[in-house]
Amino acid sequence: MKYTSTRNNAVSVDAAKAISQGISEDGGLFVPMSFPQISLDDIKKMSEMSYIERAKKVLSLYLTDFTEEEISYCVNGAYKEGKFDSEKVAPVVPFNDEAYILELFKGPTCAFKDMALQLLPYLLTVSAKKTVDGKEIIILVATSGDTGKAALEGFKDVEKTKILVFYPSDGVSPMQKLQMTTQEGSNVSVCAIEGNFDDAQSGVKKIFTDKEIGAKLKENNMQFSSANSINWGRLVPQVVYYISAYCDLIADGRIVAGEKINIVVPTGNFGNILAAYYAKQMGLPVNKFICASNANNVLTDFITTGEYNKNREFFTTTSPSMDILISSNLERLLYHLTGSDDKAVAEMMGKLNNDGKYTVSEEVLNALKADFDAGCCSDDEVSATIAKSFKEKNYLPDTHTSVAIKVYEDYVERTGDDTVTVIAATANPYKFSKAVLGAVEADYVCSDEFETVDELSRVSGVKCPEQLANLKGKEPRFTGVCKKPEMTEVVFKMLGI
Ligand SMILES: *Cc1c(COP(=O)(O)O)cnc(C)c1O
């Protein structure tokens, strides 16, 4: 399996190179040149396997330059017993007659990012051995809250790596901030940046592609790589859990092999939903992908009209991990929908950079609509959805998951579609305690994060996961804040070069 760039079809690299480099030199993203296939027979066989075995099977199709031993080492390490609060790793639980919730937040940091970021350090260190022998890998991360912590946790004390995380000072929840600023490990650094996630992301992207900075790292025997979902090593682990969820539905007798399902994903950077798209291209029977957004509904408009326009008000919502106006991974979908038209993609990305918008052709829009539906909702609707879900289903979703539930309910009302549906649940409710408590007990006021946690636990009867509860009283290690133009300087300082 070879990988090319969304902006230059002349590029051809192995998985190890795509993963260790993170982003193509032309600014494009690495994409597989073909979609490996899994048959219904394969799927039936996989329905009898453990999560780890399913992961090995899927990864071996994409990482053909890895040996079987290497893949086993990576997967066994990432999902070994005790790392996830469920022996199924990503369990599927019933929500109503047609819909099931795929719980992706059972990992060490309580967000779905763990699914990929527990595996990525293994993939990256194995890749680096094959490609950039001897160099120290510098992981540079821009985070809307969950990626930062999950990456820190995945990379802490991993040999020959350093990890630097930038998060928007006002764009993350108190629990997310505490998780990052208290991070342990000898190779980690965290800094807040004045601005929103898009500022952090564009700042990091710029540092990444800056030739001078790259040269300075090289002098010091270092090389940047990315743990953001632009890295193929982030996406490929995510393909696994959609196939795994389908296998679980078969194993539990909820569907028969071959039956199509819908997949609903609360979406920000478009990585999670794109992984589901790859699963479909591999042969997973999917009817519709339903792309769910909060008030930052640039994707809803895009999927409805074919125009992507980021020139709009930016909202800070109760689902901060989706407060994004530039969905980086959409570039990969555009590449596939245009029939691998690198020129067209480069042109659209140029327009996005210069004018903040672009429009796809009628043909691409039709292809997009054949696979995708979309919807969005407000913070008030999220709150009402949490309350209703808890009251009627005894299920306490977090704010992001609630965006997906609400958009799914609207979709069913609009279309009458009763296809069996998998809703991706992306975070534990205790990561966003204030908003969740506000939904189930509107008149309760508390100023302290852990008072909120205690009260939420009391009213809901749902226990706060230990990895969050244990942060109580912990002193922050990282309190720095910088402005966007200062990021380069901060990076050099963090690296001591
Ligand atoms: C990152 C994140 C999302 C958005 O996922 P994308 O892959 O960026 O679309 C949704 N919910 C939570 C809780 C997240 O952390």
Side-chain angles (χ1 to χ4, degrees), residues 199-217:
D199 294 317
Q201 176 162 263
S202 59
V204 160
K205 254 190 157 173
K206 215 166 137 200
I207 294 176
F208 248 115
T209 42
D210 187 303
K211 294 248 156 44
E212 264 173 53
I213 301 175
K216 180 150 177 184
L217 258 74

Side-chain angles (χ1 to χ4, degrees), residues 104 112 241-242 263-268 271-274 276 289-293 322 400 403-404 407 422-426:
L104 301 171
F112 94 92
Y241 51 71
Y242 290 108
I263 296 176
V264 191
V265 186
T267 300
N272 202 3
I273 196 166
L274 184 73
F289 302 106
I290 299 159
C291 176
S293 301
M322 294 155 63
H400 304 74
V403 169
V407 168
V422 167
I423 301 171
T426 49

Side-chain angles (χ1 to χ4, degrees), residues 424-484:
T426 49
N428 184 289
Y430 282 97
K431 284 199 99 164
F432 308 95
S433 298
K434 187 167 173 228
V436 175
L437 179 63
V440 292
E441 193 181 23
D443 45 7
Y444 194 88
V445 193
C446 37
S447 49
D448 176 76
E449 179 69 5
F450 286 94
E451 192 190 326
T452 313
V453 165
D454 290 343
E455 181 61 12
L456 182 56
S457 167
R458 193 190 65 77
V459 248
S460 69
V462 177
K463 215 174 143 249
C464 177
E466 260 168 41
Q467 52 276 48
L468 299 181
N470 289 347
L471 294 173
K472 189 175 176 174
K474 224 171 163 192
E475 266 313 303
R477 272 178 83 190
F478 302 102
T479 50
V481 185
C482 77
K483 293 188 169 58
K484 196 175 162 186

